[in-house]
Amino acid sequence: MPLFKVSIGKFKQLSSVQSIVLFYVTAIMVSTIILSMPFFLREGVSVSLIDTMFTAISAISVTGLTVVPTDLTFNVPGYFALAFILQFGGIGIMTLGTTIYILLGKKIGIRGRQLISVDQNRSTLQGLVRLMLKILSTIIVIEFIGTVLLSLRYLYYFDTWQEAWIQGFFAAVSATTNAGFDITGNSLLPFSGDYFVQLVNMTLLVLGAIGFPVLIEVQQWFFDKKDHRNRFRFSTFTKLTTTTFFILVVVGAVLIYLIERRHFFSDQSGLSAFFYSLFQSITTRNGGLQTMEMTSFQAPTLMVLSFLMFIGASPSSVGGGVRTTTFAIMLLAIFHYAKGHSAIKVFKREIARQDVLRSFIVITTAFMLCLTAIFIMSITEPFTNMEIAFEVFSAFGTTGLSLGITESLSVIGKLVIMVMMFVGRIGIFSFLFLIRGKTTKDLYKYPEAKMIIG
Amino acid sequence: MPLFKVSIGKFKQLSSVQSIVLFYVTAIMVSTIILSMPFFLREGVSVSLIDTMFTAISAISVTGLTVVPTDLTFNVPGYFALAFILQFGGIGIMTLGTTIYILLGKKIGIRGRQLISVDQNRSTLQGLVRLMLKILSTIIVIEFIGTVLLSLRYLYYFDTWQEAWIQGFFAAVSATTNAGFDITGNSLLPFSGDYFVQLVNMTLLVLGAIGFPVLIEVQQWFFDKKDHRNRFRFSTFTKLTTTTFFILVVVGAVLIYLIERRHFFSDQSGLSAFFYSLFQSITTRNGGLQTMEMTSFQAPTLMVLSFLMFIGASPSSVGGGVRTTTFAIMLLAIFHYAKGHSAIKVFKREIARQDVLRSFIVITTAFMLCLTAIFIMSITEPFTNMEIAFEVFSAFGTTGLSLGITESLSVIGKLVIMVMMFVGRIGIFSFLFLIRGKTTKDLYKYPEAKMIIG
Ligand SMILES: [K+]
Ligand SMILES: [K+]
């Protein structure tokens, strides 16, 4: 069987990134099959193949954009199947894959470790398996607490405890994985006056989007012996990504409040406006849940939200976009360059030149990709540029907010959004490596050319 | 007079970039005074200070956005005053300043040379004075030929030869300096069927926007002795900027044609559609003249034009934007990075790492600046995001195309557009150096931090 041998050989030659993509594609295909099974659909409901695929990609990439109403399309077993897919997509196929390997008692080879490393963008291979287990257990603990808190509260809203529990469980999984799917039929709008539900959801959203490395470090710090704690040092990465994360949340909330003060918030109490602003700002960090209609917002607010969605979540989290560190390094680079500094310093550490270049490449490529998507859809779709841009940035950031056009998209529009969700999830870095084809080594050098720039 | 001494001292300490900016600010102030003189205005016309300042900045930055109708506001002496200001702004205050110095028989010190060097972004000081003279004579020759060709043709359109000559002269200056101002009252729309007028204008626009270094090199090549010509080598800069320039023109024209084929061009002949597409593509390279209303275009076309205006003209030309080389180097960097190459090669030369970083910084800063402008104006102006974005990119690219909102802008809107025209003209690089304040030397080094990006 020489053909088979060739295939195996080719597979081995694939770079880690390409393997990751292959795994994601497989996961999407399997999810499509699962979600198209009549067993998981409500009676009399039928969904077209493209809509099922759209739902599968949206679930695996934990985006939350939907072309069919989740609550009316799937039945209770379907809700659980969907929750399982969200879990799978959110934590990362590799993380789960590793854990399953461990549970089955198999050893993970160096190649397996490399795959996980790229998927979670970890630059060290040390203690990776233990790390995976930590991630999984952390997430499950968070989701368990979330489920208990929400289910108890939902007893006020739903008739039976079963219903309250199912809603609470799905909501906790959807919030922690930042999936943005809902089975209330209207996101968190039914709870727009319930600050307890919102606080729990915001906490879960932040824990999911802040990045696993940060969670692990905080855990270590927390469980460290008292005499060690003072000497514990958070990594520069954790400091930078967490600072950026919370600055974005605060800036977002303040801008939303200031713009909407005399519009949507004009007849709201201060507390109400505060919760609306804060929740909608946090949700762009990648959750996609919402306590109000996006169409109620003014154009400037929608611009702010689009921008925040484009930046997205922290690296190695459940979220997409260009990631917080990328954006922070870009800003730091511009600032230091304008100041005439030769190196970029932050928290008493320097950022490697290679990382600076990489940040710029990720951001510009991402933006041109989004522009191309908006351009194509402005030809094929009958919606305004604002509605289309919002949808595209939401898909790339795997956020899942929408101005309500998702269900009415043309087939081309749906395909474009599917691609954007996929690229947003695997990240621009993987995307670039995916399309690069055969790598050639630099064996020769040319003299440098003088250039005039800007 | 110790105060005076301090001022002189401070002036000497100013970096070259800051001096350039100071000169531009002075030029704008002088232009404002000139344009507000009743001698240059038509009888009974009065213009507010902000509108005069707007016109002055628009003229000095050769943008061409107008808040008052040029033809109805200024009289014939006013037209000549405006043409003089366009000339001054277009060729660069330093170029003219140098020439005036030479004509007055004064020697230019090393500081004067540095100023010119930064203004035209030239990285060598050698033969700078001779170069300035070459630039000026080249431009004047081009404008003279343009005036003759257009004036003769305009005899068909205007009643008197004086009128034809004034219109021809103003049109030639406006096209060569890529100013985009017109005294026909309706740009080149009266000549939308006259392909001779359009060909002359397109040629002048290209000659002005393609960059002085390119013109000089082509001149050298052309006047080189026959046996030398084969050995003449164009610089990598000239090759890259010219290639990018014409690729953008072709891509722009093709996209305009494809999008508008079934819309604005549906009842046009092939030749007519060809000229409309080509002219409107070239005009975004920075001229701002137009043979049709921008409001006739579809949204996707307006997106393409906005993008092209943002890129702008070649460096060391009369135009603004991020410049063609900057955009080209960014694309090359992304391509080479995706391919896994360690160096960026083009035309058998390598691009310096510093230039790559600088290109990314220029593009991202420029884009964030434009986004901020659009965001502010989306709050203060009653227009759509598309109309505002088009206006902002047009101002930053110093292009001067508009969807017709310029005259109706609020005071804040006008101020934002004025800032964008100014920054577009001095360039992002100068802008960053302008705002950087006191430079501090890096005397210490921190260890590098590991980062996760994208
Ligand atoms: K989401
Ligand atoms: K112009």
Side-chain angles (χ1 to χ4, degrees):
Chain A
M1 286 173 285
L3 188 70
F4 184 72
K5 262 188 182 169
V6 169
S7 300
I8 290 289
K10 269 195 183 161
F11 183 81
K12 277 187 186 164
Q13 274 169 31
L14 283 173
S15 69
S16 301
V17 172
Q18 283 168 316
S19 312
I20 287 285
V21 171
L22 197 65
F23 272 102
Y24 268 109
V25 170
T26 311
I28 288 166
M29 274 159 47
V30 172
S31 304
T32 306
I33 293 169
I34 293 174
L35 293 175
S36 64
M37 277 158 64
F39 175 70
F40 291 130
L41 298 176
R42 282 180 185 255
E43 260 185 50
V45 171
S46 79
V47 184
S48 69
L49 179 63
I50 186 153
D51 285 356
T52 308
M53 270 194 72
F54 192 101
T55 310
I57 293 183
S58 185
I60 282 292
S61 68
V62 287
T63 304
L65 289 171
T66 49
V67 282
V68 293
T70 311
D71 58 324
L72 304 176
T73 306
F74 299 100
N75 54 22
V76 173
Y79 294 164
F80 281 97
L82 193 57
F84 179 76
I85 294 172
L86 300 184
Q87 197 78 290
F88 206 66
I91 303 183
I93 293 167
M94 286 306 100
T95 316
L96 273 181
T98 320
T99 319
I100 292 165
Y101 260 106
I102 298 165
L103 293 179
L104 293 176
K106 284 187 186 166
K107 265 197 178 170
I108 302 166
I110 190 73
R111 182 163 181 77
R113 282 168 196 269
Q114 270 181 336
L115 289 178
I116 307 154
S117 166
V118 174
D119 188 38
Q120 296 294 351
N121 278 333
R122 292 286 304 178
S123 35
T124 163
L125 289 178
Q126 278 189 327
L128 212 50
V129 171
R130 235 179 28 213
L131 188 74
M132 294 298 110
L133 278 177
K134 264 192 188 169
I135 291 173
L136 196 67
S137 56
T138 308
I139 296 293
I140 286 174
V141 167
I142 293 171
E143 283 174 351
F144 178 75
I145 298 172
T147 305
V148 170
L149 291 174
L150 288 177
S151 298
L152 287 175
R153 183 70 174 189
Y154 283 0
L155 290 171
Y156 290 95
Y157 293 91
F158 297 97
D159 297 332
T160 63
W161 68 263
Q162 287 95 334
E163 216 181 326
W165 180 78
I166 290 169
Q167 287 279 353
F169 166 74
F170 194 91
V173 172
S174 179
T176 309
T177 60
N178 275 240
F181 278 87
D182 66 85
I183 53 171
T184 64
N186 204 4
S187 199
L188 291 185
L189 270 79
F191 313 107
S192 63
D194 190 328
Y195 299 137
F196 177 78
V197 170
Q198 289 182 41
L199 278 173
V200 172
N201 269 288
M202 287 194 278
T203 309
L204 297 179
L205 289 175
V206 168
L207 289 175
I210 206 160
F212 295 131
V214 177
L215 291 184
I216 298 289
E217 280 189 40
V218 171
Q219 245 180 357
Q220 280 173 349
W221 170 80
F222 196 78
F223 289 113
D224 227 0
K225 279 166 195 149
K226 252 194 180 164
D227 51 329
H228 282 117
R229 198 180 290 180
N230 295 330
R231 272 176 285 160
F232 185 86
R233 299 188 114 195
F234 286 101
S235 68
T236 309
F237 166 76
T238 288
K239 287 179 191 162
L240 183 63
T241 185
T242 311
T243 311
T244 313
F245 190 96
F246 285 109
I247 288 176
L248 288 175
V249 166
V250 172
V251 168
V254 169
L255 284 177
I256 293 171
Y257 174 75
L258 289 178
I259 302 168
E260 297 296 333
R261 203 165 36 130
R262 296 201 192 126
H263 299 280
F264 185 73
F265 297 154
S266 59
D267 54 354
Q268 307 275 346
S269 73
L271 186 70
S272 171
F274 170 79
F275 264 91
Y276 275 124
S277 303
L278 186 64
F279 194 94
Q280 261 58 234
S281 177
I282 286 179
T283 207
T284 61
R285 283 284 53 63
N286 199 270
L289 294 166
Q290 56 200 82
T291 59
M292 56 181 285
E293 292 293 348
M294 291 298 117
T295 45
S296 309
F297 279 136
Q298 302 291 304
T301 309
L302 296 176
M303 275 189 69
V304 171
L305 296 183
S306 300
F307 187 68
L308 291 172
M309 292 193 293
F310 175 72
I311 298 172
S314 295
S316 297
S317 76
V318 295
V322 294
R323 322 292 196 238
T324 48
T325 40
T326 317
F327 179 68
I329 290 175
M330 184 196 77
L331 284 191
L332 288 169
I334 292 174
F335 178 78
H336 279 79
Y337 189 79
K339 281 273 170 200
H341 298 163
S342 57
I344 295 161
K345 289 165 185 163
V346 64
F347 296 117
K348 304 204 170 172
R349 287 288 180 280
E350 290 191 3
I351 310 282
R353 273 174 184 277
Q354 192 59 21
D355 283 345
V356 174
L357 182 63
R358 199 169 147 179
S359 296
F360 277 109
I361 285 176
V362 164
I363 285 183
T364 48
T365 309
F367 204 83
M368 287 193 297
L369 205 69
C370 288
L371 274 192
T372 310
I374 297 168
F375 174 66
I376 294 171
M377 288 177 68
S378 77
I379 297 172
T380 61
E381 311 301 314
F383 307 110
T384 66
N385 274 2
M386 187 72 242
E387 288 169 319
I388 292 169
F390 195 84
E391 193 84 6
V392 166
F393 288 123
S394 174
F396 174 71
T398 69
T399 312
L401 298 173
S402 171
L403 290 167
I405 66 170
T406 323
E407 289 189 29
S408 324
L409 291 177
S410 72
V411 172
I412 294 177
K414 283 177 187 170
L415 287 173
V416 170
I417 293 296
M418 283 153 83
V419 170
M420 294 309 292
M421 292 192 290
F422 185 73
V423 175
R425 178 63 190 126
I426 67 169
I428 286 294
F429 186 64
S430 302
F431 170 72
L432 280 176
F433 273 76
L434 178 64
I435 58 170
R436 85 182 191 182
K438 219 178 145 221
T439 310
T440 48
K441 268 218 167 169
D442 282 336
L443 293 172
Y444 53 95
K445 232 180 118 55
Y446 290 127
E448 268 185 10
K450 281 220 170 180
M451 277 295 144
I452 313 178
I453 291 154
Chain B
M1 287 172 284
L3 189 71
F4 182 72
K5 263 189 182 168
V6 168
S7 300
I8 290 288
K10 269 193 183 162
F11 182 82
K12 277 187 185 163
Q13 274 169 31
L14 283 173
S15 70
S16 301
V17 172
Q18 282 168 316
S19 312
I20 287 284
V21 171
L22 197 65
F23 273 102
Y24 268 109
V25 169
T26 312
I28 289 166
M29 274 160 46
V30 172
S31 304
T32 306
I33 293 168
I34 293 174
L35 294 176
S36 64
M37 277 158 63
F39 175 71
F40 292 130
L41 297 176
R42 283 181 185 253
E43 261 185 50
V45 170
S46 79
V47 184
S48 69
L49 179 63
I50 186 153
D51 285 354
T52 309
M53 271 194 72
F54 191 102
T55 311
I57 294 182
S58 184
I60 283 292
S61 67
V62 288
T63 305
L65 288 171
T66 50
V67 281
V68 293
T70 312
D71 58 324
L72 303 177
T73 307
F74 300 100
N75 55 22
V76 173
Y79 295 164
F80 281 97
L82 193 56
F84 179 76
I85 293 172
L86 299 184
Q87 198 76 291
F88 206 65
I91 302 182
I93 293 166
M94 286 307 98
T95 317
L96 273 180
T98 322
T99 320
I100 292 165
Y101 259 107
I102 298 165
L103 294 179
L104 293 176
K106 285 185 183 167
K107 267 198 176 167
I108 303 168
I110 189 74
R111 182 163 180 78
R113 284 169 195 267
Q114 269 181 335
L115 289 179
I116 306 153
S117 165
V118 174
D119 190 37
Q120 296 296 350
N121 278 334
R122 292 286 304 177
S123 35
T124 164
L125 289 177
Q126 278 190 328
L128 212 50
V129 172
R130 236 178 29 213
L131 187 74
M132 294 298 109
L133 278 178
K134 264 194 187 168
I135 290 173
L136 196 67
S137 56
T138 308
I139 295 293
I140 285 174
V141 167
I142 292 171
E143 283 174 351
F144 178 76
I145 297 171
T147 304
V148 170
L149 291 173
L150 288 177
S151 299
L152 287 175
R153 183 70 176 190
Y154 282 0
L155 289 172
Y156 289 97
Y157 293 92
F158 297 97
D159 297 334
T160 65
W161 69 262
Q162 288 95 333
E163 218 181 326
W165 180 78
I166 290 169
Q167 287 278 354
F169 167 73
F170 194 91
V173 171
S174 179
T176 310
T177 60
N178 275 239
F181 278 86
D182 67 86
I183 53 170
T184 64
N186 205 4
S187 200
L188 292 184
L189 271 78
F191 314 107
S192 63
D194 190 326
Y195 300 138
F196 177 78
V197 170
Q198 290 182 41
L199 278 172
V200 173
N201 269 289
M202 286 194 279
T203 309
L204 297 179
L205 288 175
V206 169
L207 289 175
I210 206 161
F212 295 131
V214 177
L215 291 183
I216 298 290
E217 279 189 39
V218 171
Q219 245 180 357
Q220 281 173 347
W221 170 79
F222 196 78
F223 289 113
D224 227 1
K225 279 166 194 149
K226 251 195 181 163
D227 50 331
H228 282 117
R229 197 180 292 181
N230 295 331
R231 271 176 287 160
F232 186 87
R233 300 189 114 194
F234 286 101
S235 68
T236 309
F237 167 75
T238 288
K239 287 179 192 163
L240 183 63
T241 186
T242 311
T243 311
T244 312
F245 191 95
F246 285 110
I247 288 177
L248 288 174
V249 166
V250 171
V251 168
V254 169
L255 284 177
I256 293 171
Y257 175 74
L258 289 178
I259 302 169
E260 297 296 333
R261 201 166 36 132
R262 296 201 192 125
H263 299 280
F264 185 73
F265 298 154
S266 59
D267 55 354
Q268 307 276 346
S269 72
L271 186 71
S272 171
F274 171 79
F275 264 90
Y276 275 124
S277 303
L278 186 65
F279 194 95
Q280 261 59 234
S281 178
I282 286 179
T283 206
T284 61
R285 282 284 54 63
N286 194 276
L289 294 166
Q290 57 200 83
T291 59
M292 56 181 286
E293 292 294 348
M294 290 299 118
T295 45
S296 310
F297 279 136
Q298 302 292 304
T301 310
L302 296 176
M303 274 189 71
V304 172
L305 296 183
S306 301
F307 187 69
L308 291 172
M309 293 193 293
F310 176 73
I311 298 172
S314 296
S316 296
S317 76
V318 295
V322 295
R323 322 291 197 241
T324 49
T325 40
T326 316
F327 180 68
I329 290 175
M330 184 196 77
L331 284 190
L332 288 169
I334 291 173
F335 178 77
H336 279 79
Y337 188 79
K339 281 274 172 201
H341 299 163
S342 57
I344 296 162
K345 289 164 185 163
V346 64
F347 296 118
K348 302 204 173 174
R349 287 288 178 280
E350 289 191 5
I351 311 284
R353 272 175 184 277
Q354 192 59 21
D355 283 345
V356 175
L357 182 62
R358 200 170 145 178
S359 296
F360 277 110
I361 285 176
V362 164
I363 285 184
T364 48
T365 309
F367 203 84
M368 287 195 297
L369 206 69
C370 288
L371 274 192
T372 309
I374 297 168
F375 173 66
I376 294 171
M377 289 176 69
S378 77
I379 296 173
T380 62
E381 311 302 314
F383 307 110
T384 66
N385 274 2
M386 187 73 243
E387 287 168 319
I388 292 170
F390 195 85
E391 193 84 7
V392 166
F393 288 124
S394 173
F396 174 71
T398 70
T399 312
L401 298 173
S402 171
L403 290 168
I405 67 170
T406 323
E407 290 189 29
S408 324
L409 290 177
S410 72
V411 172
I412 294 177
K414 283 177 187 170
L415 288 173
V416 170
I417 293 296
M418 284 155 81
V419 170
M420 293 310 292
M421 292 192 290
F422 185 73
V423 175
R425 179 61 191 127
I426 67 170
I428 286 293
F429 187 63
S430 303
F431 170 72
L432 279 177
F433 273 76
L434 178 64
I435 58 170
R436 86 181 189 181
K438 219 179 146 224
T439 310
T440 47
K441 270 218 166 167
D442 282 335
L443 292 173
Y444 53 95
K445 231 179 119 56
Y446 289 127
E448 267 185 11
K450 280 220 168 179
M451 277 295 144
I452 313 177
I453 291 154

